[in-house]
């Protein structure tokens, strides 16, 4: 059985596909979206972090750490000296120290997923492999999906679509449903806001929608970033031309990710960006409906 790096397993998830699901978050992503709500999933390797507002400055962690890294050291300059042994997280009395990301075997993931099988059966749910970006741990993702399928569990993958087509094709072949994030059609702006241009993503989406008949698009709606008429029209036009993608979920931006970025010692450039109004969301929904899509709104992820 293969081992991968998992940073969260969320049970009773209702935002990552139909029914009640268990969402398995794999570490590592090839994009750096400035609005990311799971920034702790971006780096591939595990990370030691400090939740600032929980730290009472008692020094227990520094004393126990084999290389005596204090919370300040960890936030600033000395991260590379951290061996990720996890001792600080074990001794911290307030839970301020955390290790994000742990190695897991496929069978460990499977046993967590199987624990809620009755809820999937009752609700039409299943498992969703998310991230980060599952394509960065494609073989691990494939084994999770195959194992779940062999137990009759509905499988979904949540992807940003950035990566080699052959890798996406293989992962998609083990998934009953693909949740595909579409962020921006203007490639230069895509590069500016996510760290990569979108040609590979759009090409992958076109190919995927030819081979798979259950692709659900997920579009974050972010004022000032991708909510212009041009952008939304271009996305709706692309969506309407995809045979396997008949459904889209629009996700209104909100600032809930600010705290996570702070915990990782990162700036959050969209802290002044507002949540789109109900009227704005209604106009975007109407635009995608006019393009022939089944449209819903969801929770910004
Ligand atoms: S994970 Fe280990 S090495 Fe890293 S800061 Fe904590 S105790 Fe020190
Ligand atoms: S043990 Fe926890 S509360 Fe005490 S200094 Fe370290 S991080 Fe802060």
């Amino acid at each position: 059985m293969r081992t991968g790096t998992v940073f969260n397993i969320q049970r009773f998830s209702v935002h990552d596909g139909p029914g009640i699901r268990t969402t398995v978050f794999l570490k590592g992503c090839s994009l750096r979206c400035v609005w990311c709500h799971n920034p702790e999933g971006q780096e591939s390797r595990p990370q030691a972090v400090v939740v600032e507002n929980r730290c009472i400055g008692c020094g227990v962690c520094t004393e126990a750490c084999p290389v005596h890294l204090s919370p300040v050291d960890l936030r600033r300059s000395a991260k590379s000296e951290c061996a990720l042994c996890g001792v600080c997280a074990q001794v911290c009395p307030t839970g301020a120290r955390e290790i994000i990301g742990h190695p897991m075997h496929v069978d460990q993931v499977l046993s967590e997923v199987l624990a809620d099988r009755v809820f999937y059966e009752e609700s039409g749910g299943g498992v969703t492999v998310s991230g980060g970006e599952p394509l960065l741990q494609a073989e691990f993702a494939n084994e999770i999906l195959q194992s779940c399928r062999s137990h009759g569990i509905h499988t979904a993958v949540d992807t940003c679509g950035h990566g080699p087509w052959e890798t996406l094709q293989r992962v998609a072949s083990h998934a009953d449903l693909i949740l595909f994030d579409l962020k921006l059609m203007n490639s230069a702006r895509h590069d500016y806001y996510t760290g990569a241009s979108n040609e590979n993503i759009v090409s992958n989406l076109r190919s995927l929608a030819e081979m798979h008949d259950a692709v659900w698009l997920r579009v974050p709606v972010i004022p000032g970033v991708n909510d212009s008429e041009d952008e939304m029209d271009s996305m709706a036009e692309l969506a309407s031309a995809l045979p396997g993608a008949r459904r889209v979920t629009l996700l209104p931006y909100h600032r809930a990710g600010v705290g996570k970025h702070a915990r990782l010692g990162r700036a959050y450039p969209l802290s002044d960006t507002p949540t789109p109004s109900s009227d704005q969301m209604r106009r975007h929904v109407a635009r995608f409906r006019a393009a022939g899509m089944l449209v819903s709104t969801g929770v910004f992820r």
Side-chain angles (χ1 to χ4, degrees):
M1 282 271 179
R2 195 174 287 271
T3 302
T5 306
V6 176
F7 71 93
N8 190 16
I9 294 184
Q10 191 176 325
R11 297 170 63 189
F12 302 104
S13 168
V14 292
H15 301 297
D16 296 317
I20 295 171
R21 311 189 72 82
T22 294
T23 304
V24 182
F25 292 90
L26 307 189
K27 206 139 163 41
C29 185
S30 53
L31 299 184
R32 290 291 180 271
C33 305
V34 298
W35 55 82
C36 181
H37 269 213
N38 289 322
E40 72 275 34
Q42 291 180 344
E43 277 193 29
S44 292
R45 71 181 215 126
Q47 292 161 273
V49 298
V50 181
V51 185
E52 217 158 319
N53 60 7
R54 287 194 207 145
C55 177
I56 55 173
C58 66
V60 169
C61 56
T62 314
E63 204 170 308
C65 171
V67 289
H68 301 296
L69 293 179
S70 70
V72 174
D73 292 332
L74 210 54
R75 279 194 294 267
R76 295 204 181 129
S77 55
K79 281 182 186 164
S80 59
E81 291 168 39
C82 170
L84 295 168
C85 66
V87 168
C88 56
Q90 286 163 16
V91 300
C92 174
T94 65
R97 290 260 199 156
E98 282 179 16
I99 305 294
I100 299 172
H102 298 278
M104 288 185 84
H105 288 286
V106 171
D107 55 358
Q108 289 175 299
V109 175
L110 184 65
S111 79
E112 295 227 15
V113 172
L114 288 175
D116 289 334
R117 189 176 191 158
V118 63
F119 297 106
Y120 316 144
E121 287 166 1
E122 288 295 316
S123 69
V127 67
T128 300
V129 178
S130 181
E133 171 48 57
L135 298 188
L136 262 63
Q137 298 192 59
E139 292 313 315
F140 182 53
N142 285 337
E143 284 196 23
I144 294 171
L145 294 166
Q146 282 175 292
S147 303
C148 289
R149 261 194 174 169
S150 71
H151 285 81
I153 293 171
H154 180 271
T155 56
V157 168
D158 177 16
T159 179
C160 72
H162 186 247
W165 162 243
E166 296 71 25
T167 307
L168 175 59
Q169 186 180 31
R170 185 131 187 271
V171 172
S173 71
H174 302 302
D176 301 312
L177 170 68
I178 316 289
L179 305 170
F180 195 107
D181 302 337
L182 185 61
K183 304 168 198 297
L184 271 156
M185 293 301 290
N186 179 302
S187 190
R189 287 173 65 78
H190 195 284
D191 193 3
Y192 179 79
Y193 283 109
T194 74
S197 60
N198 69 0
E199 287 83 2
N200 162 255
I201 294 169
V202 172
S203 163
N204 279 344
L205 176 56
R206 289 187 197 279
S207 302
L208 186 66
E210 292 285 339
M211 81 165 247
H212 206 293
D213 63 0
V215 180
W216 288 11
L217 299 175
R218 300 221 280 194
V219 177
V221 179
I222 310 170
V225 174
N226 70 348
D227 69 337
S228 68
E229 299 219 340
D230 274 0
E231 266 299 333
M232 287 289 160
D233 280 344
S234 299
M235 283 195 260
E237 190 183 335
L238 172 65
S240 69
L242 301 171
R246 302 285 14 106
R247 190 180 282 264
V248 61
T249 305
L250 303 181
L251 314 169
Y253 171 81
H254 61 77
R255 286 182 285 243
V258 175
K260 286 187 176 181
H261 283 259
R263 185 165 18 145
L264 295 169
R266 294 202 195 151
Y268 188 73
L270 299 188
S271 55
D272 293 329
T273 300
T275 296
S277 68
S278 304
D279 273 356
Q280 287 169 323
M281 288 305 296
R282 268 195 287 273
R283 282 201 294 277
H284 299 315
V285 167
R287 180 175 272 114
F288 279 89
R289 284 207 177 122
M293 304 294 292
L294 284 169
V295 191
S296 58
T297 55
V299 175
F300 191 82
R301 310 279 284 165

